[in-house]
PDB file of all heavy atoms in Angstrom:
ATOM      1  N   SER A 175       1.329   9.582  -5.603  1.00 97.00           N
ATOM      2  CA  SER A 175       1.731  10.952  -5.278  1.00 97.00           C
ATOM      3  C   SER A 175       2.719  11.497  -6.316  1.00 97.00           C
ATOM      4  O   SER A 175       2.570  12.612  -6.810  1.00 97.00           O
ATOM      5  CB  SER A 175       2.337  10.997  -3.883  1.00 97.00           C
ATOM      6  OG  SER A 175       2.771  12.285  -3.569  1.00 97.00           O
ATOM      7  N   ILE A 176       3.716  10.696  -6.649  1.00 97.00           N
ATOM      8  CA  ILE A 176       4.728  11.111  -7.628  1.00 97.00           C
ATOM      9  C   ILE A 176       4.095  11.314  -9.002  1.00 97.00           C
ATOM     10  O   ILE A 176       4.330  12.323  -9.667  1.00 97.00           O
ATOM     11  CB  ILE A 176       5.877  10.089  -7.690  1.00 97.00           C
ATOM     12  CG1 ILE A 176       6.676  10.125  -6.382  1.00 97.00           C
ATOM     13  CG2 ILE A 176       6.787  10.359  -8.888  1.00 97.00           C
ATOM     14  CD1 ILE A 176       7.632   8.968  -6.216  1.00 97.00           C
ATOM     15  N   PHE A 177       3.274  10.344  -9.432  1.00 97.00           N
ATOM     16  CA  PHE A 177       2.628  10.459 -10.739  1.00 97.00           C
ATOM     17  C   PHE A 177       1.743  11.696 -10.799  1.00 97.00           C
ATOM     18  O   PHE A 177       1.711  12.415 -11.805  1.00 97.00           O
ATOM     19  CB  PHE A 177       1.786   9.228 -11.048  1.00 97.00           C
ATOM     20  CG  PHE A 177       2.580   7.977 -11.351  1.00 97.00           C
ATOM     21  CD1 PHE A 177       1.979   6.736 -11.247  1.00 97.00           C
ATOM     22  CD2 PHE A 177       3.904   8.032 -11.744  1.00 97.00           C
ATOM     23  CE1 PHE A 177       2.682   5.576 -11.531  1.00 97.00           C
ATOM     24  CE2 PHE A 177       4.628   6.875 -12.034  1.00 97.00           C
ATOM     25  CZ  PHE A 177       4.008   5.651 -11.928  1.00 97.00           C
ATOM     26  N   SER A 178       1.004  11.957  -9.724  1.00 97.00           N
ATOM     27  CA  SER A 178       0.093  13.105  -9.695  1.00 97.00           C
ATOM     28  C   SER A 178       0.838  14.429  -9.798  1.00 97.00           C
ATOM     29  O   SER A 178       0.325  15.394 -10.360  1.00 97.00           O
ATOM     30  CB  SER A 178      -0.744  13.081  -8.420  1.00 97.00           C
ATOM     31  OG  SER A 178      -1.594  11.965  -8.424  1.00 97.00           O
ATOM     32  N   GLU A 179       2.049  14.463  -9.254  1.00 97.00           N
ATOM     33  CA  GLU A 179       2.851  15.684  -9.298  1.00 97.00           C
ATOM     34  C   GLU A 179       3.530  15.900 -10.645  1.00 97.00           C
ATOM     35  O   GLU A 179       3.695  17.028 -11.085  1.00 97.00           O
ATOM     36  CB  GLU A 179       3.927  15.648  -8.213  1.00 97.00           C
ATOM     37  CG  GLU A 179       3.405  15.762  -6.796  1.00 97.00           C
ATOM     38  CD  GLU A 179       4.498  15.553  -5.761  1.00 97.00           C
ATOM     39  OE1 GLU A 179       5.695  15.477  -6.145  1.00 97.00           O
ATOM     40  OE2 GLU A 179       4.149  15.445  -4.579  1.00 97.00           O
ATOM     41  N   ARG A 180       3.930  14.806 -11.287  1.00 98.00           N
ATOM     42  CA  ARG A 180       4.807  14.929 -12.455  1.00 98.00           C
ATOM     43  C   ARG A 180       4.167  14.637 -13.805  1.00 98.00           C
ATOM     44  O   ARG A 180       4.740  14.996 -14.838  1.00 98.00           O
ATOM     45  CB  ARG A 180       6.017  14.014 -12.271  1.00 98.00           C
ATOM     46  CG  ARG A 180       6.830  14.413 -11.065  1.00 98.00           C
ATOM     47  CD  ARG A 180       8.048  13.595 -10.904  1.00 98.00           C
ATOM     48  NE  ARG A 180       8.770  14.027  -9.703  1.00 98.00           N
ATOM     49  CZ  ARG A 180       9.882  13.516  -9.309  1.00 98.00           C
ATOM     50  NH1 ARG A 180      10.437  12.540  -9.995  1.00 98.00           N
ATOM     51  NH2 ARG A 180      10.458  13.949  -8.211  1.00 98.00           N
ATOM     52  N   LEU A 181       3.036  13.979 -13.798  1.00 98.00           N
ATOM     53  CA  LEU A 181       2.399  13.616 -15.068  1.00 98.00           C
ATOM     54  C   LEU A 181       1.198  14.525 -15.334  1.00 98.00           C
ATOM     55  O   LEU A 181       0.671  15.142 -14.408  1.00 98.00           O
ATOM     56  CB  LEU A 181       1.930  12.154 -15.013  1.00 98.00           C
ATOM     57  CG  LEU A 181       3.025  11.103 -14.892  1.00 98.00           C
ATOM     58  CD1 LEU A 181       2.412   9.717 -14.705  1.00 98.00           C
ATOM     59  CD2 LEU A 181       3.943  11.121 -16.098  1.00 98.00           C
ATOM     60  N   PRO A 182       0.761  14.580 -16.588  1.00 97.00           N
ATOM     61  CA  PRO A 182      -0.458  15.339 -16.880  1.00 97.00           C
ATOM     62  C   PRO A 182      -1.629  14.802 -16.045  1.00 97.00           C
ATOM     63  O   PRO A 182      -1.674  13.618 -15.706  1.00 97.00           O
ATOM     64  CB  PRO A 182      -0.692  15.078 -18.370  1.00 97.00           C
ATOM     65  CG  PRO A 182       0.635  14.693 -18.906  1.00 97.00           C
ATOM     66  CD  PRO A 182       1.360  13.998 -17.790  1.00 97.00           C
TER      67      PRO A 182
END
Side-chain angles (χ1 to χ4, degrees):
S175 178
I176 292 167
F177 289 160
S178 294
E179 291 173 8
R180 298 183 181 181
L181 295 174

